[in-house]
């Protein structure tokens, strides 16, 4: 499988983690996606035509995926705040699930799907227009997620103090909008941050886990396996560990 990412910068990076594309070239591929704190818009393409358009929610559990031979994907990996730019989508209801959308979603049916950069530009233009029109995005929410993505603090109270937003209000916002608490979200971000070390066979606890036992328990909770099993990545099962190593 061939995989490519294009990261975003500037103000748009508050809403988009990256654009990504993959091609299943010579055989079908089974893999497991691990929780990472993001949600994806995934366009499946066969013979340069849209086969399906899917929007995932945020995952708190590993999910098994199968891709068929001769299938391309163009996709956007959204940060949670992006939900405020997508009309008529309830992200809370999509927790650990996904929905299929019409092929005309945000005008993608007008694209040729033979150029990944054209797809990225189309999505960027759509989001920039939505940002200009939106009245619900405020600096407090942006500060909150910026603090989370520094990956320095994994404690709700400390995050709350840094952004000057009460823990109760933050958790209400998270539960109503995303379907999970800030504590759960921080645990996912911390777990995901360990994957680079695990992929490189560094299995000692990092990132403010209490001890080895806590580290193993949390990694197993979000991946279904221990850090040692995860590091082996038998049959290239865990796609995110492959992309960490740029394979």
């Amino acid at each position: 499988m061939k995989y490519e990412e294009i990261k975003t910068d500037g103000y748009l990076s508050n809403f988009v983690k990256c654009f990504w594309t993959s091609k299943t070239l010579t055989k079908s591929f089974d893999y497991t996606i691990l929780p990472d704190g993001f949600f994806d818009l995934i366009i499946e393409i066969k013979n340069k035509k849209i086969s399906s358009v899917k929007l995932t929610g945020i995952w708190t559990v590993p999910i098994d995926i199968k891709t068929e031979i001769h299938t391309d994907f163009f996709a956007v990996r959204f940060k949670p705040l992006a939900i405020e730019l997508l009309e008529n989508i309830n992200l809370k209801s999509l927790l650990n699930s996904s929905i299929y959308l019409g092929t005309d979603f945000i005008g993608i049916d007008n694209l040729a799907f033979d150029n990944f950069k054209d797809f990225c530009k189309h999505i960027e233009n759509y989001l920039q227009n939505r940002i200009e029109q939106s009245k619900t995005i405020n600096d407090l929410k942006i500060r909150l997620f910026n603090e989370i993505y520094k990956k320095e603090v994994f404690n709700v109270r400390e995050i709350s103090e840094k952004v000057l937003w009460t823990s109760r209000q933050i958790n209400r916002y998270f539960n109503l909008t995303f379907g999970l608490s800030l504590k759960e979200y921080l645990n996912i971000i911390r777990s995901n941050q360990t994957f680079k070390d695990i992929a490189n066979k560094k299995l000692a606890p990092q990132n403010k886990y209490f001890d080895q036992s806590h580290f193993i328990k949390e990694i197993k909770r979000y991946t279904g396996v221990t850090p040692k099993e995860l590091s082996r990545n038998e049959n290239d099962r865990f796609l995110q560990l492959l992309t960490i190593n740029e394979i």
Side-chain angles (χ1 to χ4, degrees), residues 20 39 42 57 64-65 90 98 112 131 133 141-142 161 173 190 212 221 230:
W20 62 267
F39 69 101
I42 304 172
D64 293 328
I65 301 291
N90 184 337
S98 59
I131 288 169
Q133 298 170 12
K141 293 175 184 177
I142 290 175
E161 291 173 353
Y173 166 62
R190 177 171 57 185
Q212 185 76 19
R221 177 182 178 187
L230 187 62

Side-chain angles (χ1 to χ4, degrees), residues 76-140:
V76 191
R77 183 155 297 133
F78 288 114
K79 294 180 178 179
L81 195 56
I83 197 59
E84 301 198 24
L85 303 178
L86 303 178
E87 294 182 285
N88 303 316
I89 300 294
N90 184 337
L91 192 57
K92 177 181 177 180
S93 68
L94 291 178
L95 186 69
N96 293 323
S97 63
S98 59
I99 57 170
Y100 285 95
L101 304 171
T103 58
D104 60 345
F105 183 68
I106 62 175
I108 58 176
D109 55 332
N110 295 317
L111 299 176
F113 285 102
D114 56 0
N115 188 308
F116 180 51
K117 290 185 178 179
D118 285 350
F119 166 77
C120 298
K121 189 63 179 177
H122 174 83
I123 300 296
E124 285 180 355
N125 289 339
Y126 171 82
L127 294 175
Q128 292 290 1
N129 288 334
R130 292 292 299 153
I131 288 169
E132 293 172 5
Q133 298 170 12
S134 178
K135 298 179 181 179
T136 60
I137 301 166
N138 60 47
D139 290 340
L140 189 58

